[in-house]
Amino acid sequence: MHFINVHNKSDHDQEFEVHGFNDNRNIVVKPGSTAVLPAADKKSGAIIAIHDGHECEQAEITKDGFDGNDTIDLSNIVGAGGNMTVQQVGDPGTRKGDPLFMQHLNEAWHNASAQEKRELEKSVHINAKGDVVRIDAIKSNPQLEKFVRSFDDGKTYIGVGAFGGHQGVGSDNAQSSAAHGDKDILVTYSDDDASPAQPPHLAHRPEEKLVVHTIGDHNHGGPGIILTNKSSKSTTYFFYDNTWNGNGTAGANFTHPLKTTTVEPDGTIFVSLPSSFKGRVQRGTQLPATWVEFQLDASNDHAAHGDISLEQGCDGAATISSTDGSKRSNGFTEDILKDAPAAAMTKKGDGSRALASTMGNWMAKANQAAVEYEKKVVGQKRAYITGGTGTDDVASHNQVLAVDFF
């Protein structure tokens, strides 16, 4: 099972008509929020933005289609009233749609001749300022189609395309090109730029059948993590291996953890991991969350290396330490949530409070109040707050690190 993530970047509630998924029930997505819909393989459907009661821009999706690839496109054939893009999660090369469609539409409208405006006035809806707020269906209006192609041809589905014996327009047909395999889908809506923020950070439950659950492994000397729960409640932790790794860069994995374990209060277990592991461990699956980032077999010295990161939020303190006798350690143990300013806080999907992301993601922009507060009470030396450098690395040459969550 994969998922369709519908993110609303605007500052208002946005209704979407859903075809083929979610039992064909509409959804309303709150500002800055993401709705997550299960999307079974071989199913087809659409996520359609509703404006003034009218169907408008839509993301058309077929899961696990021809040759096992998803097919996605962004269509404006039934109208437009906002900006929307669609892509596979973590793969911007599959993105379809013009993230600034309405801005380009308004620019073209304001530059149009008086005659063009008269010809289109019944199909183009403007506000008191003279700005376009919505256009009617393009598919049955040749004059409107010509107008939209003048500024957006090849960026979105404009005409009916190759269908029912009609050859369509090549630039439209190209919008239906296959994506890369069978993955989660991200639909992003905005009144401004509908480009997803990077990197992709989503907060839905992982595919359970891919997760290895452990109650504690035999400590055979590594590689792995000695994990301690120093909180007062039983906690489940998830280990995410990166989707890819480069020279100083990596692609974070947000949907398929490699391993999970539940640790009782004051409990300690050993979690065995492959030496190739490069990723993180966090509480639960939702963001914002404190990340303990680590690798177990670095290419330069074959040691384990790790750090603490608050870039994608903070849901509590954590430390990481060596176990090879070198006595290296970093992180923090203080409860920094209790006195945090309200402007720096947010709620996770489960209702719990956490410090917001300091770098932003497609659920919300970077929270400057969180940046300033964490710099004050933690500091860049103990945890990554804004990326870059300045956070002490912890190395352990026996490929075993100790991680404590508080």
Side-chain angles (χ1 to χ4, degrees), residues 231-254:
S231 76
S232 60
K233 61 182 179 179
S234 177
T235 305
T236 301
Y237 303 93
F238 287 77
F239 290 79
Y240 290 86
D241 205 2
N242 292 335
T243 56
W244 56 267
N245 294 285
N247 184 16
T249 60
N253 169 9
F254 301 93

Side-chain angles (χ1 to χ4, degrees), residues 376-406:
K376 176 182 176 182
V377 298
V378 177
Q380 183 82 0
K381 187 174 179 63
R382 292 199 289 169
Y384 281 104
I385 297 172
T386 56
T389 60
T391 303
D392 290 347
D393 168 77
V394 173
S396 192
H397 288 270
N398 59 355
Q399 298 186 341
V400 177
L401 290 161
V403 173
D404 295 352
F405 281 97
F406 294 81

Side-chain angles (χ1 to χ4, degrees), residues 298-319:
S299 59
N300 62 334
D301 62 1
H302 299 291
H305 292 261
D307 59 69
I308 307 298
S309 173
L310 306 182
E311 294 172 312
Q312 285 307 314
C314 173
D315 58 359
T319 61

Side-chain angles (χ1 to χ4, degrees), residues 57-222:
E57 60 273 13
Q58 59 182 295
E60 300 174 317
I61 301 164
T62 296
K63 290 296 301 160
D64 190 26
F66 182 71
D67 276 352
N69 297 306
D70 297 329
T71 301
I72 55 177
D73 66 68
L74 202 292
S75 173
N76 290 104
I77 63 175
V78 299
N83 301 324
M84 199 153 75
T85 60
V86 60
Q87 69 172 72
Q88 289 180 318
V89 169
D91 192 349
T94 63
R95 189 176 303 161
K96 304 288 181 65
D98 181 357
L100 293 170
F101 180 91
M102 292 300 293
Q103 283 76 7
H104 295 150
L105 168 62
N106 268 284
E107 181 180 6
W109 176 255
H110 291 305
N111 290 328
S113 66
Q115 180 179 344
E116 283 182 298
K117 289 182 178 179
R118 284 194 299 270
E119 293 171 344
L120 295 170
E121 63 183 359
K122 292 183 179 180
S123 306
V124 177
H125 305 273
I126 62 176
N127 61 18
K129 296 179 180 179
D131 294 327
V132 182
V133 294
R134 184 174 62 83
I135 59 173
D136 290 336
I138 300 171
K139 61 181 180 180
S140 56
N141 190 325
Q143 192 66 26
L144 183 58
E145 178 177 337
K146 178 182 177 182
F147 176 68
V148 174
R149 288 196 187 282
S150 71
F151 64 87
D152 231 55
D153 192 36
K155 298 178 183 178
T156 180
Y157 233 118
I158 298 172
V160 295
F163 180 78
H166 183 262
Q167 291 186 352
V169 176
S171 54
D172 287 340
N173 297 336
Q175 300 302 310
S176 295
S177 59
H180 304 151
D182 184 17
K183 303 175 183 177
D184 289 355
I185 303 297
L186 173 66
V187 176
T188 304
Y189 172 84
S190 179
D191 297 326
D192 297 310
D193 190 338
S195 301
Q198 294 296 336
H201 298 295
L202 301 176
H204 59 72
R205 291 189 62 81
E207 189 173 353
E208 295 294 342
K209 67 180 182 180
L210 298 181
V211 184
V212 175
H213 185 83
T214 180
I215 58 174
D217 302 317
H218 174 64
N219 188 348
H220 49 72

Side-chain angles (χ1 to χ4, degrees), residues 276-292:
S276 59
F277 185 95
K278 294 182 179 181
R280 72 182 186 278
V281 57
Q282 68 175 66
R283 301 173 183 88
T285 61
Q286 297 181 337
L287 295 177
T290 304
W291 284 10
V292 180

